[in-house]
Amino acid sequence: MQNTLIFLVLASCISTAALAQPAAPTKSYSAAGRQVQVYTTAANTQLRMAATDKLTFQPQPQPLETQPTVFVDPTHTFQTLLGIGGAMTDAAAETFAKLPKPQQQEFLQAYYSPTGGIGYTLARTTIHSSDFSSGSYTYVANGDKSLKTFSLKHDEQYRIPFIKQAQAAAGGKLTMYVSPWSPPAWMKDNKSMLQGGKLLPEFRQTWADYYVAFIKAYEKQGIPIWGLTVQNEPMAKQKWESCIFTAEEERDFVKGYLGPTLKKNGLSDKKLIGWDHNRDLIFQRAATLFDDPEASKYYWGLGFHWYETWTGSTMQFENLRRVHETYPDKNLVFTEGCVENFKYEQVTDWRLGERYGNSMINDFNAGTVAWTDWNVLLDETGGPNHVGNFCYAPIIGDTRSGKLIYTNSYYYIGHFSKFIRPGARRIATTSSRDVLQTTAFLNTDGKVAVVVMNSTEKEQPFQLWMKGQAAQTISRPHSIMTIVVN
């Protein structure tokens, strides 16, 4: 009896010990002995993604409050990066066609080569015209409800050849998604592609069929389509191509027409992205689309822009975090951003790049999986744009001189796209000083890329601290740096 009691007590202890075992630790990481290269872009210098410093890690168990520090922990990982890139619009394609052949090749390498450029892997293009076209157009004759007249003849002149050359420069693969700005005028209640208006109920199926026709026609041209957004800026009445969809209208169009139509036509693998507008209303849109199971099943995620600043607000990154926390199974994609009100004499303005750096760091830290700039190329007017909505692009093609002008936004984007590659996992990072904004990723090859931005007039020495190892460096005033830990 005594032996039985001893056995039961021992068994109980063993069982309790087994239950109390901590979960297996995540994969360990040590920075000791690793090579570290710093790349820097800084105002009032010639530094543009320049290799500036090699750092050395030294043991440091506990930083002090007096030591400015960027903390990075590669053992805690978050979302996986899909890609970084920009939009291949009619305006970009037309500007590209006007450049001399050497500058065309320079442009393609500058964006799409992972070694000679900044390695874009993501692209967006429009379903027929947007404001960044030389005029409004569609792919069908007026009133053609059967879409028998559907033709890509317009795009075959500039846009399709442009995209194909970019694909080749990117090594044959460029993740492409597509977006409509407006249905044809005859499908809308205001009988115009401009000034908002709404899709008439009797044309919901025809419009859904139109997306399918476009995707299949582009793929027939050798341009694979990865995904699509439902409607560009669905709550904005613009003087250019635009169409209003409330959250409920988008939900019902997707679950009743677009989702089933994609599925019926063998396109259910295409990633369907909702919203495609600013961060200000994104949570309400997410709740309406994703709390309806019949609609939610068709959505891969939400797209967003950065133009909520038109209200005087700063960029509302916390709204992204609320969506990510509430709907962790859905993806966030930055689908468009540019600096508006183009002035040729301000193409060297440092604020251009810092706007990109601020958005990209905070968007990624909020859970964003992909980031898409607006026009990859515009001309010396900030166009062409058929309603005068002239904007900046990271590269300006001056069609008068045939030369390319690289704004600093090109380099700011490159500090992410060149060093953080598709498949990279975001990792934990924080800064002990608000002067230093930071995000970090672990690439599939094991390299860690840490981006640190300083948008102040102040030079800020700091240390990069990883699991008890620290490396000393300096953040220059108005600079962005990518620290690559091999």
Side-chain angles (χ1 to χ4, degrees):
M1 182 69 173
Q2 187 177 6
N3 288 341
T4 302
L5 286 171
I6 292 170
F7 174 78
L8 288 171
V9 169
L10 285 171
S12 175
C13 290
I14 292 168
S15 177
T16 303
L19 289 170
Q21 286 290 322
T26 54
K27 189 176 179 181
S28 61
Y29 183 93
S30 174
R34 291 181 183 264
Q35 295 181 326
V36 185
Q37 178 66 61
V38 180
Y39 299 88
T40 304
T41 295
N44 304 313
T45 72
Q46 297 300 308
L47 299 175
R48 298 295 181 270
M49 288 177 59
T52 48
D53 304 287
K54 290 189 186 310
L55 308 183
T56 303
F57 279 108
Q58 300 291 338
Q60 186 182 9
Q62 172 62 62
L64 302 174
E65 291 177 321
T66 54
Q67 295 175 297
T69 304
V70 169
F71 298 92
V72 178
D73 187 346
T75 66
H76 294 282
T77 60
F78 305 97
Q79 80 271 21
T80 301
L81 182 75
L82 171 69
I84 297 170
M88 309 192 74
T89 57
D90 289 324
E94 290 168 29
T95 303
F96 178 82
K98 293 176 184 176
L99 294 172
K101 292 292 182 189
Q103 279 67 42
Q104 289 182 348
Q105 292 306 308
E106 178 189 334
F107 167 89
L108 292 168
Q109 288 297 301
Y111 268 128
Y112 299 101
S113 170
T115 51
I118 60 173
Y120 270 11
T121 55
L122 184 65
R124 181 191 191 206
T125 199
T126 67
I127 297 176
H128 57 233
S129 63
S130 71
D131 51 324
F132 280 94
S133 302
S134 292
S136 294
Y137 67 91
T138 74
Y139 302 121
V140 296
N142 282 342
D144 178 14
K145 192 172 181 178
S146 67
L147 307 184
K148 287 180 180 177
T149 59
F150 193 96
S151 168
L152 291 179
K153 187 175 181 181
H154 177 280
D155 294 11
E156 288 170 355
Q157 184 177 7
Y158 297 118
R159 202 199 314 176
I160 288 172
F162 177 51
I163 291 171
K164 287 183 175 180
Q165 290 185 71
Q167 279 180 322
K173 186 176 184 296
L174 194 57
T175 301
M176 173 71 74
Y177 67 98
V178 301
S179 304
W181 264 239
S182 171
W186 52 271
M187 293 189 193
K188 296 173 65 182
D189 61 0
N190 67 345
K191 302 305 177 189
S192 172
M193 292 178 70
L194 317 182
Q195 299 291 339
K198 291 194 175 189
L199 177 67
L200 289 166
E202 61 262 36
F203 292 117
R204 287 172 185 159
Q205 186 57 57
T206 305
W207 184 225
D209 293 337
Y210 200 101
Y211 296 73
V212 169
F214 177 83
I215 291 170
K216 288 191 171 182
Y218 255 65
E219 294 197 327
K220 193 174 180 180
Q221 289 274 352
I223 301 171
I225 303 300
W226 167 85
L228 67 157
T229 72
V230 179
Q231 168 63 45
N232 178 73
E233 299 188 346
M235 290 306 296
K237 178 185 175 182
Q238 304 284 25
K239 63 182 179 180
W240 54 84
E241 287 84 342
S242 46
C243 184
I244 304 299
F245 280 84
T246 66
E248 292 78 12
E249 287 166 345
E250 180 186 338
R251 176 198 66 199
D252 294 346
F253 174 62
V254 164
K255 75 176 178 180
Y257 298 90
L258 184 56
T261 300
L262 291 169
K263 184 177 181 180
K264 177 184 172 183
N265 285 274
L267 301 178
S268 54
D269 62 324
K270 307 306 179 190
K271 306 300 187 288
L272 186 60
I273 300 166
W275 189 222
D276 199 8
H277 204 167
N278 300 328
R279 301 181 188 95
D280 49 4
L281 303 181
I282 193 170
F283 188 87
Q284 181 259 351
R285 184 69 50 143
T288 306
L289 304 183
F290 301 155
D291 287 349
D292 184 312
E294 284 303 305
S296 182
K297 69 183 181 183
Y298 293 114
Y299 282 102
W300 178 81
L302 291 188
F304 63 94
H305 302 179
W306 72 16
Y307 309 111
E308 66 267 24
T309 52
W310 75 269
T311 65
S313 169
T314 57
M315 295 185 188
Q316 294 181 292
F317 304 112
E318 283 302 310
N319 290 353
L320 302 181
R321 291 188 175 89
R322 295 297 85 74
V323 172
H324 186 56
E325 290 167 355
T326 310
Y327 305 99
D329 59 327
K330 301 297 186 184
N331 298 281
L332 289 169
V333 180
F334 183 89
T335 48
E336 185 187 316
C338 72
V339 179
E340 299 166 287
N341 303 314
F342 180 84
K343 292 182 176 62
Y344 185 83
E345 63 274 16
Q346 294 179 6
V347 294
T348 60
D349 197 325
W350 208 256
R351 70 187 169 89
L352 302 177
E354 289 187 337
R355 184 177 176 101
Y356 280 84
N358 179 54
S359 181
M360 295 181 81
I361 287 170
N362 286 284
D363 289 336
F364 285 131
N365 286 346
T368 297
V369 303
W371 210 94
T372 329
D373 183 35
W374 189 206
N375 301 277
V376 290
L377 178 68
L378 292 172
D379 68 16
E380 68 278 359
T381 70
N385 185 292
H386 71 88
V387 291
N389 182 33
F390 301 121
C391 297
Y392 292 87
I395 299 179
I396 300 296
D398 191 329
T399 60
R400 301 165 301 183
S401 65
K403 293 181 179 178
L404 297 176
I405 301 167
Y406 295 81
T407 74
N408 56 66
S409 57
Y410 167 83
Y411 300 102
Y412 270 69
I413 297 169
H415 273 274
F416 299 84
S417 61
K418 187 176 181 68
F419 303 106
I420 304 168
R421 304 302 293 164
R425 299 287 300 277
R426 185 171 66 86
I427 57 179
T429 180
T430 61
S431 170
S432 70
R433 297 291 189 275
D434 63 358
V435 171
L436 304 175
Q437 295 187 65
T438 182
T439 192
F441 283 78
L442 174 63
N443 283 293
T444 57
D445 62 3
K447 292 180 181 179
V448 170
V450 185
V451 179
V452 179
M453 187 175 99
N454 175 359
S455 58
T456 74
E457 301 284 348
K458 174 185 175 185
E459 179 180 277
Q460 180 63 67
F462 72 96
Q463 61 182 350
L464 179 70
W465 192 93
M466 300 175 74
K467 295 284 189 179
Q469 296 279 325
Q472 305 293 327
T473 188
I474 295 172
S475 172
R476 293 170 171 82
H478 291 290
S479 72
I480 189 167
M481 57 201 296
T482 304
I483 305 169
V484 178
V485 183
N486 290 291

